[in-house]
Amino acid sequence: MAVASRLAVARVSPDGAGPAAAGRRRRGRSAGFASVGLPPAAAAARKGRRRGGAVAASPPTEEAVQMTEPLTKDDLVAYLASGCKPKENWRIGTEHEKFGFEVDTLRPIKYDQIRDILNGLAERFDWDKIMEEDNVIGLKQGKQSISLEPGGQFELSGAPLETLHQTCAEVNSHLYQVKAVGEEMGIGFLGLGFQPKWALSDIPIMPKGRYEIMRNYMPKVGTLGLDMMFRTCTVQVNLDFSSEKDMIRKFRAGLALQPIATAIFANSPFKEGKPNGFLSLRSHIWTDTDNNRAGMLPFVFDDSFGFEHYVDYALDVPMYFVYRNKKYIDCTGMSFRDFMQGKLPQVPGELPTLNDWENHLTTIFPEVRLKRYLEMRGADGGPWRRLCALPAFWVGLLYDEESLQSILDMTSDWTKEEREMLRRKVPVTGFKTPFRDGYVRHLAEEVLTLAKNGLERRGYKEVGFLREVEQVVSTGVTPAERLLNLYETKWQRNVDRVFEHLLY
């Protein structure tokens, strides 16, 4: 079977994977955005109400067509390369997670409550349900999806959109819908990077097969993996590339600047009711979750880096699972390279499909992740007003050639050790982290100017979305430090007040 025909085999993107890879490749607005530009309530009214359907099978699914020949490494490389597209087809995909809680008790919401929210959204706002066995575990509408993280964190994986105005309209529409359903149930949603009040043992477990496998595996490979799963929330941005060379340039710029984004959006200073010693505990947690699949990927800066090098890396990242007959089969500790040779004891003699490869890529968690697009992963979850700022920051830097080249010039002589130092120290000291002759704040000021200039040159009048970032950088005070100041003063050391302060 030729590579091209292999890549045409039908796939469904796995839950939690962001914008469906197949959906990202088509131009134009998603079906869910016929009403972009309208207030959320008006947009919802225009769409009308019909009962949401159900997606027949829970993603990820098996291949719709059986592979007639074994996959080769060239196929895996070609899969990543198939993401290349001309600049006019580049899109913006935004994903954001939030904590659900009972307004009266502040306790995390249980699966039964989440199920009722999902059913309410499907009923009132025209979403299709995603099922795993008898449980609704997510929703889909056009190219948007809603999924559940392991501790019930609610995630919107947005559609691939052309402008930041559309992205912000999508965020506003989603939060309007979630609030409309949640408020009637006495449920609120919190924009923060780490659960501020409750212990790990207080967090409910979602009925998703892949998470059971991860929960059993995490303590074997790091000390903080369960905290990552159950008590963190992030915002991330997914961006396109035109060629292998363009991918490499954006990957390097994104990795180098990820600690700067971490500082700007640092928003996780509390743990179990008191300050935790970090400005971004969420970011710190990734330093000891599973270092086989996380980190700053120094090989991306090697002269030999490209699609093939990333494939070689991913082939040796330990697997989590294989999905067969609507069941997750635990394959932890085995490699995809073993799978390619038919050497998985759990499915003896069986060979992987491209869908298995796509699923595997979603279980790798570096600070920037490559699929058929690039994911910027360094920011804490945050409040409504900040959700549009992160995509604006990265679009201004990476979708404008002049700004991108300036970033590459600025960071070209940063050493592996300096990048790693920033990665480890910024979660603790934020803008005050020393770097060469200055501080991270000075880097943030320079980078913000480049982002604003890049947005100006795009011509969509999107610079206003950086206003929140401008305030943070100009004052040199991270969002986490603002929260800590409120905690010590106005809140009288009562962390419960953050649930009201950062309520969506």
Side-chain angles (χ1 to χ4, degrees):
M1 185 183 289
V3 169
S5 62
R6 290 182 194 275
L7 292 174
V9 173
R11 292 181 297 274
V12 175
S13 189
D15 54 323
R24 289 183 59 86
R25 306 308 144 206
R26 292 191 293 272
R27 195 176 176 194
R29 298 179 181 179
S30 78
F33 278 80
S35 302
V36 165
L38 292 175
R46 174 177 286 190
K47 284 185 67 62
R49 293 184 187 174
R50 68 164 177 82
R51 188 178 301 275
V55 176
S58 166
T61 65
E62 294 85 1
E63 298 281 358
V65 178
Q66 286 296 310
M67 305 299 287
T68 58
E69 296 177 17
L71 283 177
T72 67
K73 192 171 87 168
D74 286 345
D75 295 331
L76 308 185
V77 173
Y79 172 82
L80 294 178
S82 70
C84 297
K85 62 173 64 61
K87 184 171 183 177
E88 61 267 23
N89 291 347
W90 290 353
R91 296 293 177 265
I92 307 160
T94 306
E95 306 181 30
H96 56 88
E97 302 164 356
K98 46 209 165 290
F99 295 108
F101 66 95
E102 296 176 348
V103 173
D104 289 343
T105 67
L106 306 184
R107 295 194 68 86
I109 54 178
K110 300 179 176 66
Y111 172 71
D112 288 352
Q113 295 166 300
I114 291 172
R115 177 198 59 207
D116 292 344
I117 292 174
L118 293 173
N119 284 333
L121 289 169
E123 173 73 24
R124 294 170 59 176
F125 297 108
D126 196 21
W127 291 82
D128 292 326
K129 299 176 188 177
I130 298 171
M131 308 296 295
E132 183 168 318
E133 296 181 349
D134 296 329
N135 297 312
V136 55
I137 57 158
L139 301 172
K140 188 169 181 60
Q141 183 184 88
K143 297 175 191 175
Q144 301 176 80
S145 63
I146 295 172
S147 59
L148 302 181
E149 294 301 298
Q153 304 97 315
F154 229 65
E155 178 178 12
L156 174 72
S157 295
L161 300 169
E162 293 182 62
T163 73
L164 292 164
H165 300 286
Q166 294 173 1
T167 295
C168 212
E170 176 186 64
V171 169
N172 290 340
S173 177
H174 168 71
L175 293 176
Y176 162 78
Q177 293 179 16
V178 168
K179 279 172 60 72
V181 174
E183 284 178 351
E184 294 176 0
M185 300 170 55
I187 290 170
F189 288 89
L190 176 67
L192 205 60
F194 189 85
Q195 164 58 247
K197 182 176 175 69
W198 302 101
L200 193 58
S201 59
D202 295 313
I203 309 299
I205 296 171
M206 296 301 104
K208 295 178 68 171
R210 68 185 286 166
Y211 294 156
E212 181 178 359
I213 291 170
M214 291 172 65
R215 190 172 75 249
N216 293 332
Y217 182 66
M218 284 295 184
K220 301 174 184 177
V221 292
T223 63
L224 300 174
L226 295 180
D227 277 327
M228 180 280 292
M229 291 179 64
F230 292 98
R231 294 202 284 180
T232 64
C233 279
T234 186
V235 182
Q236 66 186 56
V237 183
N238 305 326
L239 298 174
D240 289 312
F241 44 80
S242 62
S243 64
E244 183 172 51
K245 180 181 178 182
D246 188 44
M247 178 277 292
I248 294 168
R249 296 169 76 236
K250 287 173 176 170
F251 209 149
R252 290 173 178 169
L255 277 174
L257 294 188
Q258 218 58 223
I260 312 306
T262 297
I264 292 171
F265 294 92
N267 195 45
S268 47
F270 304 119
K271 177 182 178 181
E272 296 174 21
K274 57 183 184 294
N276 58 38
F278 293 88
L279 301 180
S280 177
L281 178 58
R282 182 210 62 82
S283 181
H284 169 72
I285 281 169
W286 278 109
T287 65
D288 195 15
T289 288
D290 180 350
N291 288 329
N292 286 319
R293 67 183 75 244
M296 291 289 281
L297 303 188
F299 64 82
V300 171
F301 296 87
D302 293 348
D303 291 342
S304 61
F305 178 68
F307 290 126
E308 183 176 2
H309 199 155
Y310 194 86
V311 166
D312 283 330
Y313 158 72
L315 281 171
D316 292 322
V317 171
M319 294 179 65
Y320 281 157
F321 61 82
V322 170
Y323 190 74
R324 292 291 184 272
N325 301 316
K326 299 184 175 65
K327 296 287 185 182
Y328 291 89
I329 301 168
D330 188 336
C331 296
T332 49
M334 303 301 294
S335 75
F336 206 88
R337 199 180 296 276
D338 297 326
F339 197 7
M340 295 275 284
Q341 297 170 7
K343 294 181 179 178
L344 289 191
Q346 299 87 344
V347 284
E350 189 160 341
L351 297 172
T353 64
L354 277 171
N355 197 66
D356 292 317
W357 177 239
E358 186 172 60
N359 295 341
H360 179 58
L361 291 176
T362 71
T363 69
I364 302 172
F365 307 117
E367 290 297 286
V368 176
R369 178 163 67 182
L370 174 63
K371 293 194 282 193
R372 295 200 287 183
Y373 45 92
L374 287 166
E375 299 181 354
M376 306 294 126
R377 298 173 50 84
D380 285 358
W384 193 320
R385 64 185 180 275
R386 216 173 292 146
L387 295 180
C388 303
L390 184 73
F393 177 78
W394 285 114
V395 167
L397 293 172
L398 302 187
Y399 272 8
D400 176 75
E401 177 57 33
E402 190 173 330
S403 291
L404 175 57
Q405 187 57 52
S406 295
I407 291 298
L408 293 169
D409 293 342
M410 182 177 87
T411 61
S412 63
D413 66 342
W414 292 10
T415 66
K416 169 187 171 182
E417 291 74 22
E418 285 177 322
R419 293 192 298 269
E420 187 60 33
M421 178 278 293
L422 289 173
R423 169 70 188 85
R424 291 186 173 270
K425 290 190 175 180
V426 161
V428 184
T429 50
F431 290 134
K432 299 180 181 69
T433 306
F435 185 79
R436 297 190 175 180
D437 296 330
Y439 293 89
V440 163
R441 179 181 177 182
H442 303 131
L443 294 176
E445 290 170 346
E446 188 174 350
V447 169
L448 175 59
T449 297
L450 293 174
K452 290 168 63 178
N453 292 343
L455 290 182
E456 287 280 9
R457 285 187 288 268
R458 264 171 63 83
Y460 291 115
K461 300 188 184 301
E462 297 167 319
V463 177
F465 293 115
L466 286 175
R467 198 168 294 120
E468 180 76 11
V469 173
E470 283 188 275
Q471 182 181 5
V472 170
V473 173
S474 65
T475 61
V477 179
T478 64
E481 288 166 307
R482 290 190 221 169
L483 293 177
L484 289 167
N485 181 62
L486 286 169
Y487 172 83
E488 294 290 348
T489 57
K490 186 177 179 181
W491 297 351
Q492 299 181 326
R493 300 177 67 83
N494 180 5
V495 81
D496 291 2
R497 299 285 296 276
V498 77
F499 287 86
E500 179 183 359
H501 184 70
L502 294 180
L503 175 72
Y504 283 113

